Amino acid sequence: MNGAQPQLDYLTPEEYLAGERLAETKSEYFAGEVYAFAGTTWDHGLIVGNLVREIGTQFKGRSCQVCPTDLRVQVSPDGPYTYPDVVAVCGEPRFVDDQFDTLLNPTAIIEVLSDSTEARDRGWKLRHYQKLASVEEIVLVAQDLVRVEQYIRQPGGLWLMWSTEDMDDVLRMPAIQCEVPLREIYDKVEFLAPAAAEALTAAEDGAPSDPEEGSQ
């Protein structure tokens, strides 16, 4: 997800949705707070485009659809409301109302991580995505180095986690019956020099996974 900053005024979900539909810029909503989007990066946009292209090609002739960041998702009536970087739906998409701008039943969600949103993507967003009954898979993709993490729903409410940092690996998404090589995910993305990438990895491994943890 590209960068976002919280706004301080508390809003109800109804107030957020009404205002969001009139706004010129996008914002996400969680627990009364609205997070306004900042600009994205070139690599972030490349990765999102690569994923949409690869998944969309495999959806041809099937009852599945894929959308990039512009589609809002209602995780529950009380929130959160989010704009995942990539959303895939297999079957008939369902929406909040006849404006068809707020999806209720994503099958798979992909977030491309950034420095400003990684804690949120790994924290409350991941937890709430896992509570949404339609979601079968969640994927987190780093943009500054090769790293893909996948969470697959299992029977009994459990989640199987798979991760890789190998460019020769393939992301297999059984819920939507797609396979995407990491070389296609990162096509044309230019990475940091190895030393800088190692330093970034070490910093990320030591960072809290949730904003609330950082305040304790």
Side-chain angles (χ1 to χ4, degrees):
M1 180 60 61
N2 50 343
Q5 298 296 325
Q7 299 174 352
L8 299 180
D9 293 340
Y10 178 88
L11 294 176
T12 66
E14 295 78 13
E15 290 171 335
Y16 159 77
L17 189 56
E20 184 70 3
R21 284 172 164 168
L22 298 174
E24 295 182 357
T25 58
K26 295 180 299 184
S27 299
E28 294 184 316
Y29 174 88
F30 174 62
E33 292 188 356
V34 174
Y35 294 82
F37 278 79
T40 189
T41 66
W42 178 255
D43 286 345
H44 184 283
L46 283 176
I47 293 169
V48 170
N50 290 341
L51 285 161
V52 171
R53 182 190 65 246
E54 293 297 314
I55 294 172
T57 298
Q58 296 177 56
F59 279 176
K60 288 183 177 180
R62 299 173 50 195
S63 60
C64 297
Q65 302 169 67
V66 62
C67 288
T69 312
D70 289 337
L71 183 65
R72 182 170 52 247
V73 171
Q74 181 199 77
V75 181
S76 80
D78 294 328
Y81 288 80
T82 67
Y83 289 90
D85 287 311
V86 180
V87 174
V89 181
C90 286
E92 188 70 23
R94 295 187 292 108
F95 298 90
V96 168
D97 53 30
D98 59 7
Q99 294 201 39
F100 304 106
D101 61 358
T102 307
L103 183 70
L104 294 173
N105 62 329
T107 306
I109 288 175
I110 304 176
E111 295 281 16
V112 179
L113 306 176
S114 68
D115 290 343
S116 61
T117 66
E118 182 168 0
R120 185 160 62 253
D121 288 338
R122 292 184 180 279
W124 60 259
K125 290 177 74 173
L126 177 60
R127 292 197 302 271
H128 284 271
Y129 289 156
Q130 290 175 331
K131 295 176 183 178
L132 185 52
S134 68
V135 173
E136 298 291 336
E137 297 184 59
I138 305 162
V139 179
L140 305 180
V141 180
Q143 65 171 301
D144 298 318
L145 69 164
V146 177
R147 178 187 287 171
V148 174
E149 299 173 21
Q150 179 186 36
Y151 299 82
I152 304 174
R153 188 185 295 274
Q154 304 294 299
L158 301 177
W159 288 81
L160 176 66
M161 189 267 196
W162 173 86
S163 66
T164 183
E165 297 181 1
D166 186 348
M167 186 70 93
D168 292 323
D169 266 338
V170 176
L171 172 64
R172 295 177 172 87
M173 304 184 70
I176 60 174
Q177 299 179 30
C178 288
E179 295 188 358
V180 185
L182 267 68
R183 291 195 179 277
E184 297 300 331
I185 294 175
Y186 290 108
D187 184 38
K188 295 183 173 64
V189 175
E190 297 184 3
F191 294 103
L192 299 172
E198 289 177 6
L200 178 62
T201 302
E204 289 177 346
D205 289 343
S209 62
D210 195 301
E212 295 178 357
E213 294 179 10
S215 62
Q216 294 178 354

